[in-house]
Amino acid sequence: MRWLTYTSPAAGTDRAGLLVDDVVHGLDAELPDLLDDLPAAGERVRSAPAETLPLAEARLRAPVPEPPSVRDFLSFEEHAKNASAAFGRDVDPVWYSQPVFYFTNPAAVRGPRDDVPVSPGSQKFDYEVEVAAIVGRPGADLTPAEAEACIAGYTIFVDWSARDVQGVESRVGLGPAKGKDGATSLGPFLVTPDELGDRRSGRGYDLAMSASVNGVRQGGGSWADIHWSFGQMLAYASRGTRLRPGDIIGSGTVGTGCLLELSSLHGAEKHPWLQPGDAVTVEIERLGAVNAKITAPAPVVPLD
């Protein structure tokens, strides 16, 4: 199944929608409230939709517009190596012994067609091509198998990054903070795991992940290249705490899935940082595409 959240033209509020042949079948409920039993919700909406409308006419929101939490991992080895080299470091051996993540900003979640402003003060604004799992059932201290069974579905995750801000604040040993929390785009759909099963490969799926800027392909790779599985990531995230329905678990960037890597490998002239007016598309096979226009930053408000 492919679920989405959209703004109902009739009610003016967010509704869950099931996509069937490019037609949204709306349910008078919000998607986060349905995550623990999407099959039952699917039967309800198929038998008695609150409304139907063409997908092209739907105003899409993030599948979970206000998630309880957003964790972003670093699970692709090629990106770990390239990004570390770009910042003048080697990959720490800890990366190979356990998955690692940071918490990012749930208040900064944007939909799959929303504009994205450059972070205040940044001259090196970047995208990151990622996939995310959306937690459907709660759990704590899970095994990887138990954790994978808690996944309601997958969606595209674009981690917008102010690389210059990130580079400065990371010297202190905390964060990333303001280098990462300006915007996170999610969507367009929550795709249930059964839709992807025939492409299972290694610890992920044999599905292409890519980005383009102003129509020019920039790089990317395959979900199958992931080093840490989502079962392992969720299990680690649940250690000593509790995952909640609607929590977002980002994979981290696929190899060459950002300008930081590409400019370091091939030069900034070929892969310049994002500017207001740029159009960015991030695509993952079977999950759809996020399309965002980059807009001007808010001014930096001084601290004194």
Side-chain angles (χ1 to χ4, degrees), residues 1-4 6 17-26 46 51-60 113 188-189 191 195 286-289:
M1 292 184 288
R2 284 172 169 77
W3 287 91
L4 53 86
Y6 71 102
L18 179 65
L19 187 63
V20 181
D21 297 328
D22 288 330
V23 175
V24 176
H25 290 62
R46 284 190 177 98
E51 62 187 345
T52 60
L53 68 159
L55 175 62
E57 297 178 10
R59 179 175 178 264
L60 298 185
R113 299 173 183 167
F189 314 120
V191 179
E195 294 278 342
R286 298 201 182 181
L287 300 191

Side-chain angles (χ1 to χ4, degrees), residues 98-116:
Q98 65 183 54
V100 293
F101 71 90
Y102 69 95
F103 283 98
T104 191
N105 187 359
V109 168
R110 293 175 181 265
R113 299 173 183 167
D114 291 346
D115 293 347
V116 172

Side-chain angles (χ1 to χ4, degrees), residues 119-122 124 162-170 177-180:
S119 295
S122 178
K124 296 182 178 181
R163 297 302 188 186
D164 40 2
V165 177
Q166 178 188 1
V168 171
E169 65 189 5
S170 65
K178 302 311 294 184
K180 291 281 190 174

